[in-house]
Amino acid sequence: MCKKIEEVLRTSIEVSELITDFDSDFQNIVNPFISKDNAKKRIVMFPIQDKPFAVIFCVVSPKLQESVIGAIINECSVFTWPTMKKTILLEYECTMKQKCQMLLRVTRRLFAQVASLETLLRIAMDQAKQLTKAEHCTVMLIDVDRMDLYDSGVMGGKERRFPLNVGITGEVIRTGTLINMQNTNDHHAFNPVIDSLPGVECRNLLCFPIREQSGIIGVGHLINKITDPYFDAMDEEMALAFSIYCGVCIMHSVVYQKIQEAHIRNALANELVMYHMKVDDQEVVKMLECTGFHNHPHLSSLHFNPRAIPLRELPCYVLKMMYDLGFDKKFNLKKLKLARYILYVKKGYRDVPYHNWTHAFNVAQWAFAAIVNYKLIANGIFSELQAMMYILAGLMHDLDHRGTTNSFQIQGQTTLAALYSSEGSVMERHHLAQAMCILNTEGCDILESLPRRDYDRALLLLRDFILATDLANYFKNQSEYKAIAADFQKGNKLHVNALSCMLMNCADLSDTLKDWGSVKKTAASVLTEFFKQGDVEKSRGELPALMMDREKCFIPDLEIQFLSSICMPLFEIVGRILPRAAPCSKIIENHMERWDAARPVFAEVPAAAGLSVLLSPELDNLIEQNLREKELEKERLEQERLEAEAQEKE
């Protein structure tokens, strides 16, 4: 509807204009039907006013006098216009019927896919394109938590996120009305970054809100009409009708997924209850009345071996650590509740080779030792609340561990993967959920006496500490950790949070700081878990990773790689921030030397026998022998070098 056509509709007589005075889109429609010998041809237009729509008869270069053209058109319209009008109405009704039938089919397809939001969105975009004959379609949803728009990339691209107030999309969200742009260059708000797709030239755009009962939940874009120069009123009606059905389906999908998650959580809770027994009052009393020796002189040592303590005494030592740091008085921890909580946590661990209750105690003990030896509270690095949650996180960081990795859960499409894989850190999020479950259990809610602000802060600290134990997060942030270590500022919250995560990793990997005998036993436990997982993967027809395959894993190389690529960089970074932690790197170096000296021993037997060699009492003698030979060889080479230098001087 260009300006000239609008002016003609306001009159009741014929209007004559040069074709060159019209807009280009009008000329593009008319030019193919006229000769090109005279570009300045005239068009005589005569309006016929009617309802629900009007019509303009256009005559190009009439040979009769223009004064009679109007009368001729008027006479012709008396006979032709009623038939044309009925034809147009019939066509409209037929088109509407066809579109409604298509819309019903689309709705059926959408409601059949509520189980998967990703599939639902993909089908919705495909069907919207078919309904309106558009080249491209996108659907962006509003993330209420982050208050932005996101395009999940269901059509093969990466997820894109945008502010809510940008481009035509922002206008639609603000006003709640549909915008139909016949030419995107004519609208000041058009932003190709959000209003189009990467690599797509957007000529015309139909942008519409997606609603449900609570309001706008997203925005749809239909880009580039295929059969016409732009989207018409019929397309607008279809888009608005489609958006309502689409919004309902999206909300149904979200609710469906929440119901599924609730079912999964319920199944996990039932599984946990069936597997673990409750702690009765008699057990709590027995622990509190324990008369065993609870004053081991090296409890606060960073290299303390928990195997020096009888297994039954470990809960008592956890209680002692909390008391020694004064947390019971500072946070009003009730002795009965604390004892019950510790026993609940103990029973929350499965009987797996490595990630068991002993490992949990070991991590909590190292956290205790780090607080004492690195003076984390005294130096103002940790508050007392942070220090307490550091120990509690160490105690609970592997709750209900099944002896398998995150990748195993995801590849096996387990219940845990179904619940947590979208968030990442599958097992760590499960450990956190179980920790929260215990802290919310009646009689174990040791944090109940905290003020609301401290309570909320404690749970956030617990979450950050436990999620930090996923080494994938450590690798992702390693470069950032190095930069922070170069200029650590204990008044900077970002720096302190980074150090907290690294200290949690140090506690989790603290077995590498024990004596050589303990290091060997830990390696055997870890490998036993790995090999069991590898056996299960083989039974499923999958190819296990090299370190999980008992028939291919060369243990010394695996241990050296682990120490050099994970442990050494971690303790070196922490050592730059906390100088008292620097000696840890030397201990790891010594263990690496021993593993290197063990290579010839393991090389003499098949890889499948590696675990037996590791547990052999003869291994240490052979390692010592190899170390002496290396030292003698080193001394010989040094002597030869000195003799060669002396000869050169002579």
Side-chain angles (χ1 to χ4, degrees):
M1 289 294 290
C2 62
K3 187 175 181 180
K4 289 188 179 296
I5 293 177
E6 289 178 356
E7 291 173 355
V8 171
L9 286 173
R10 294 193 188 100
T11 69
S12 58
I13 60 173
E14 67 270 18
V15 177
S16 181
E17 293 281 354
L18 287 172
I19 191 172
T20 53
D21 293 338
F22 283 83
D23 293 342
S24 59
D25 57 346
F26 182 86
Q27 293 185 44
N28 292 336
I29 294 172
V30 177
N31 281 333
F33 301 96
I34 63 176
S35 60
K36 299 180 181 178
D37 55 347
N38 184 7
K40 294 187 177 181
K41 291 196 173 186
R42 300 187 70 78
I43 291 186
V44 179
M45 296 173 289
F46 189 88
I48 303 294
Q49 301 291 346
D50 203 344
K51 293 182 179 180
F53 37 74
V55 66
I56 300 175
F57 287 84
C58 302
V59 180
V60 182
S61 298
K63 296 179 181 179
L64 300 176
Q65 293 182 8
E66 289 187 8
S67 58
V68 300
I69 295 298
I72 293 173
I73 293 176
N74 189 45
E75 290 293 324
C76 289
S77 68
V78 172
F79 298 95
T80 60
W81 174 236
T83 305
M84 288 176 62
K85 180 180 176 181
K86 290 180 180 179
T87 304
I88 293 170
L89 289 171
L90 177 62
E91 183 183 36
Y92 178 82
E93 292 295 331
C94 291
T95 304
M96 180 60 73
K97 179 181 177 182
Q98 181 187 11
K99 295 284 187 181
C100 288
Q101 289 174 342
M102 291 178 64
L103 193 58
L104 286 172
R105 287 196 295 269
V106 169
T107 306
R108 265 198 307 269
R109 288 202 64 187
L110 292 180
F111 273 101
Q113 298 297 332
V114 292
S116 170
L117 181 59
E118 182 176 334
T119 304
L120 175 67
L121 292 176
R122 184 164 53 248
I123 291 175
M125 287 186 276
D126 184 62
Q127 295 298 313
K129 286 193 297 182
Q130 294 182 33
L131 273 174
T132 57
K133 292 183 169 55
E135 284 184 4
H136 305 282
C137 177
T138 64
V139 173
M140 295 184 179
L141 301 180
I142 296 176
D143 188 334
V144 179
D145 293 331
R146 297 172 60 170
M147 288 309 295
D148 63 4
L149 274 171
Y150 71 96
D151 174 2
S152 60
V154 295
M155 297 308 287
K158 294 182 178 179
E159 181 184 275
R160 302 186 300 160
R161 286 186 174 269
F162 306 97
L164 293 174
N165 58 351
V166 176
I168 298 296
T169 306
E171 289 285 324
V172 169
I173 293 174
R174 183 177 63 83
T175 62
T177 58
L178 173 147
I179 294 180
N180 186 358
M181 289 197 308
Q182 299 176 5
N183 188 337
T184 54
N185 296 325
D186 295 340
H187 203 294
H188 69 281
F190 176 73
N191 185 333
V193 177
I194 184 174
D195 296 326
S196 185
L197 288 169
V200 174
E201 180 186 0
C202 183
R203 301 185 300 276
N204 43 77
L205 173 69
L206 182 58
C207 187
F208 55 92
I210 298 175
R211 302 175 183 272
E212 62 96 27
Q213 192 174 7
S214 63
I216 295 175
I217 61 170
V219 177
H221 302 89
L222 292 165
I223 303 170
N224 297 341
K225 180 77 171 179
I226 296 175
T227 54
D228 292 305
Y230 40 73
F231 297 97
D232 57 22
M234 177 69 75
D235 295 324
E236 293 180 10
E237 289 185 27
M238 286 297 105
L240 289 175
F242 170 81
S243 69
I244 295 172
Y245 288 117
C246 188
V248 172
C249 290
I250 288 172
M251 292 312 299
H252 277 214
S253 179
V254 171
V255 172
Y256 179 86
Q257 290 182 4
K258 288 182 178 179
I259 291 172
Q260 289 295 99
E261 286 185 8
H263 280 302
I264 293 170
R265 290 182 189 277
N266 185 55
L268 282 172
N270 289 337
E271 182 183 347
L272 186 65
V273 170
M274 292 298 293
Y275 185 85
H276 304 301
M277 295 174 62
K278 290 185 177 181
V279 175
D280 56 39
D281 294 340
Q282 189 176 357
E283 291 179 84
V284 177
V285 172
K286 184 178 179 181
M287 172 184 167
L288 293 176
E289 294 179 353
C290 179
T291 57
F293 179 73
H294 302 147
N295 292 300
H296 198 289
H298 303 304
L299 180 64
S300 60
S301 169
L302 293 163
H303 316 297
F304 176 69
N305 186 351
R307 293 184 178 87
I309 298 176
L311 192 61
R312 65 179 181 278
E313 302 288 345
L314 296 186
C316 300
Y317 273 93
V318 175
L319 200 64
K320 175 179 170 55
M321 290 188 288
M322 300 293 284
Y323 280 21
D324 285 355
L325 291 173
F327 293 152
D328 57 323
K329 296 178 181 178
K330 173 67 179 178
F331 300 108
N332 193 24
L333 302 179
K334 303 293 190 296
K335 191 171 185 179
L336 195 66
K337 278 193 175 183
L338 188 56
R340 187 182 298 276
Y341 158 80
I342 294 169
L343 292 175
Y344 253 93
V345 171
K346 177 177 178 289
K347 289 197 172 185
Y349 281 89
R350 299 196 178 202
D351 187 19
V352 292
Y354 178 68
H355 292 96
N356 49 37
W357 163 243
T358 303
H359 169 66
F361 176 83
N362 179 66
V363 175
Q365 182 275 326
W366 198 91
F368 167 76
I371 293 168
V372 173
N373 288 275
Y374 301 152
K375 301 185 184 303
L376 298 179
I377 299 175
N379 291 335
I381 295 173
F382 275 6
S383 66
E384 288 182 293
L385 182 64
Q386 284 174 298
M388 181 177 74
M389 296 316 297
Y390 182 28
I391 293 176
L392 295 183
L395 204 64
M396 297 188 288
H397 80 286
D398 274 334
L399 273 169
D400 197 40
H401 202 293
R402 282 91 188 285
T404 53
T405 61
N406 286 335
S407 60
F408 176 86
Q409 298 292 331
I410 295 170
Q411 292 297 325
Q413 298 181 347
T414 64
T415 306
L416 291 180
L419 188 58
Y420 300 113
S421 60
S422 61
E423 301 173 279
S425 304
V426 173
M427 290 304 302
E428 287 72 22
R429 291 190 184 278
H430 177 57
H431 305 324
L432 176 61
Q434 300 309 307
M436 295 297 297
C437 181
I438 291 177
L439 287 173
N440 287 323
T441 300
E442 185 179 356
C444 297
D445 47 346
I446 59 173
L447 304 178
E448 67 159 353
S449 58
L450 294 179
R452 181 68 192 188
R453 186 175 178 182
D454 287 347
Y455 181 84
D456 292 342
R457 174 67 176 150
L459 296 186
L460 289 175
L461 288 168
L462 181 67
R463 179 200 64 185
D464 292 343
F465 276 128
I466 292 180
L467 293 184
T469 59
D470 183 359
L471 288 178
N473 294 329
Y474 163 69
F475 285 123
K476 183 173 66 176
N477 299 319
Q478 194 176 52
S479 58
E480 181 185 346
Y481 292 161
K482 289 179 180 179
I484 288 173
D487 184 28
F488 180 79
Q489 300 168 9
K490 65 181 180 181
N492 187 318
K493 288 185 177 181
L494 182 65
H495 290 198
V496 174
N497 288 341
L499 178 60
S500 300
C501 292
M502 287 189 285
L503 284 172
M504 191 66 201
N505 291 134
C506 290
D508 198 18
L509 303 175
S510 60
D511 275 314
T512 57
L513 303 178
K514 313 299 184 189
D515 60 86
W516 173 245
S518 180
V519 167
K520 284 194 306 174
K521 291 178 180 177
T522 299
S525 298
V526 173
L527 289 167
T528 301
E529 267 192 14
F530 282 179
F531 293 161
K532 284 185 176 181
Q533 176 177 319
D535 294 342
V536 174
E537 288 172 328
K538 288 178 182 177
S539 68
R540 296 195 310 210
E542 300 170 6
L543 184 65
L546 187 65
M547 64 181 180
M548 306 287 180
D549 194 335
R550 66 174 74 242
E551 297 176 357
K552 296 180 181 178
C553 178
F554 189 66
I555 294 175
D557 284 354
L558 174 65
E559 294 296 331
I560 291 171
Q561 181 184 7
F562 169 69
L563 293 173
S564 61
S565 63
I566 299 176
C567 301
M568 183 65 78
L570 173 64
F571 283 99
E572 284 179 348
I573 295 171
V574 173
R576 294 192 197 107
I577 300 173
L578 303 172
R580 288 173 176 265
C584 295
S585 299
K586 183 61 179 176
I587 296 172
I588 296 172
E589 283 182 8
N590 292 336
H591 292 330
M592 289 171 64
E593 288 180 6
R594 287 189 170 274
W595 284 117
D596 185 58
R599 274 175 168 153
V601 181
F602 282 84
E604 293 179 0
V605 299
L611 204 55
S612 299
V613 174
L614 181 61
L615 297 172
S616 171
E618 296 296 322
L619 178 61
D620 285 348
N621 295 333
L622 296 172
I623 289 175
E624 290 295 338
Q625 182 180 334
N626 289 339
L627 287 172
R628 285 195 297 271
E629 290 177 358
K630 282 188 176 183
E631 188 63 31
L632 291 173
E633 180 65 17
K634 185 178 178 181
E635 291 176 359
R636 185 183 66 78
L637 292 174
E638 179 65 18
Q639 183 64 31
E640 289 179 356
R641 186 184 65 80
L642 293 173
E643 290 176 357
E645 288 179 356
Q647 289 178 359
E648 287 178 2
K649 290 180 181 179
E650 292 176 359

